[in-house]
Amino acid sequence: MITSLAYLGVGSPNKDEWPRMATGMWGAMVADPGPDGAVRIKIDDAPWRIQIHPADQDETRYIGWGVDWEEDLDAVDKALADAGITARHGDADLAAARDVNRILFFTDPWGFRHEVTWGRTAQRSTFRPGRAISGFVTGQQGLGHVLLLMPDIEEGHRFFTRLGFRLSDKIIVPGRLNARFYHCNARHHTLALGQCPPGVAGLNHLMIQVGSLDDVGTGYEIAQQMGIPITLTLGRHTNDQQFSFYHSTPSSFHVEYGFGGLEVDEETWVPKVYDRTAVWGHAQHPDGQGRPPGIMHPLAERPARPADTED
Ligand SMILES: [Fe+2]
């Protein structure tokens, strides 16, 4: 079913602050703007990977996923129906707006809008990095990974594993973190779920991966020179072994800028449990103090559905 993270869309009053950070620090490229003036960030042959729409407040607009085969959209549709959720097929206008051939969309129990797509337009040899980097790791591994915050990750586990996500591992730090990590391609995790207090959910971070350790190191230096707030210092994760740092974006959520993430061999992989997030580093940076955990939104009250009580 779902085999990659294809794109991410947010709304923000600070969209015009994105190009400086994305090109100057990440080494990304700014594509032509969307029809509504959205800033479109491009990191590979896809027309764009991140879209920041004009909005009065920061909001998570949509998370775009990809399937390998057109027919797989039907399987996603059925899996959602089994979970009590009706997906809608997007029309030609929506497909064109996302530069895909086919699209269906739905809202999950935590209020996130997901768009499942097939046939992303490929524009070969069109990416020009904004600074001297070796490039971004995308291809079959997709855009990167997202970490979503929700109060009940057990329910999240039941929901997302229906759509093709397989558990890579858990990180449980008592009193501080309860998180699960899921793969849908060779990337160690494309989706992560982190427990948060009741009543809210949110987008905590997007990870983008570059091709060399030096890309991350130079990015870390440039972030500080440009005054981009670092939230977690350089470090290496226990589970996916990503060498990375985290920084704030102009739109409340964070970005993990990393290198060297582990690749999963589905044939031999066995999930593990870790009791810490980092082998070393990833310390809280003073710049990150007082910042929100992500783009948070209130959870709507909803009646219990049959899927809530399964298993
Ligand atoms: Fe991450």
Side-chain angles (χ1 to χ4, degrees), residues 2-236:
I2 287 173
T3 48
S4 71
L5 177 64
Y7 54 81
L8 176 67
V10 301
S12 177
N14 304 321
K15 71 176 180 61
D16 294 331
E17 294 177 29
W18 274 80
R20 174 178 177 268
M21 181 192 75
T23 59
M25 196 267 271
W26 290 358
M29 176 180 173
V30 175
D32 290 339
D36 62 350
V39 171
R40 289 175 157 177
I41 308 294
K42 177 177 169 73
I43 63 171
D44 59 7
D45 285 351
W48 52 271
R49 289 288 197 170
I50 304 162
Q51 188 159 210
I52 305 100
H53 297 274
D56 292 336
Q57 60 183 20
D58 293 339
E59 52 197 21
T60 310
R61 286 280 179 89
Y62 47 83
I63 302 167
W65 306 102
V67 297
D68 286 346
W69 300 93
E70 202 168 351
E71 296 77 12
D72 292 342
L73 290 176
D74 298 331
V76 171
D77 204 354
K78 182 173 184 314
L80 287 165
D82 290 346
I85 287 186
T86 304
R88 293 174 56 196
H89 289 263
D91 60 14
D93 287 346
L94 180 61
R98 304 293 191 256
D99 290 292
V100 298
N101 186 264
R102 285 188 62 191
I103 181 167
L104 59 86
F105 61 93
F106 64 95
T107 301
D108 75 15
W110 302 274
F112 295 103
R113 174 182 163 119
H114 300 270
E115 300 181 350
V116 187
T117 69
W118 179 82
R120 195 94 203 268
T121 304
Q123 301 174 335
R124 285 198 188 280
S125 303
T126 54
F127 175 62
R128 299 289 179 272
R131 70 175 177 93
I133 58 165
S134 61
F136 291 90
V137 177
T138 56
Q140 294 237 323
Q141 295 191 33
L143 163 59
H145 71 234
V146 286
L147 190 151
L148 306 180
L149 297 171
M150 57 183 57
D152 186 352
I153 58 171
E154 292 289 341
E155 191 182 343
H157 176 89
R158 285 195 292 274
F159 185 80
F160 286 103
T161 51
R162 290 173 182 269
L163 304 179
F165 292 98
R166 307 238 321 152
L167 184 73
S168 298
D169 37 50
K170 304 180 180 183
I171 302 182
I172 301 169
V173 187
R176 203 169 73 78
L177 180 72
N178 184 10
R180 296 183 181 190
F181 301 82
Y182 299 88
H183 59 271
C184 62
N185 56 48
R187 194 185 292 281
H188 172 275
H189 60 281
T190 290
L191 172 70
L193 305 178
Q195 185 112 22
C196 73
V200 292
L203 169 67
N204 169 264
H205 78 265
L206 165 74
M207 191 284 302
I208 51 175
Q209 187 171 322
V210 281
S212 84
L213 183 144
D214 290 336
D215 292 341
V216 176
T218 51
Y220 194 64
E221 279 190 338
I222 292 170
Q224 291 169 90
Q225 289 161 5
M226 293 177 73
I228 293 163
I230 308 286
T231 48
L232 295 180
T233 62
L234 284 172
R236 192 176 185 108

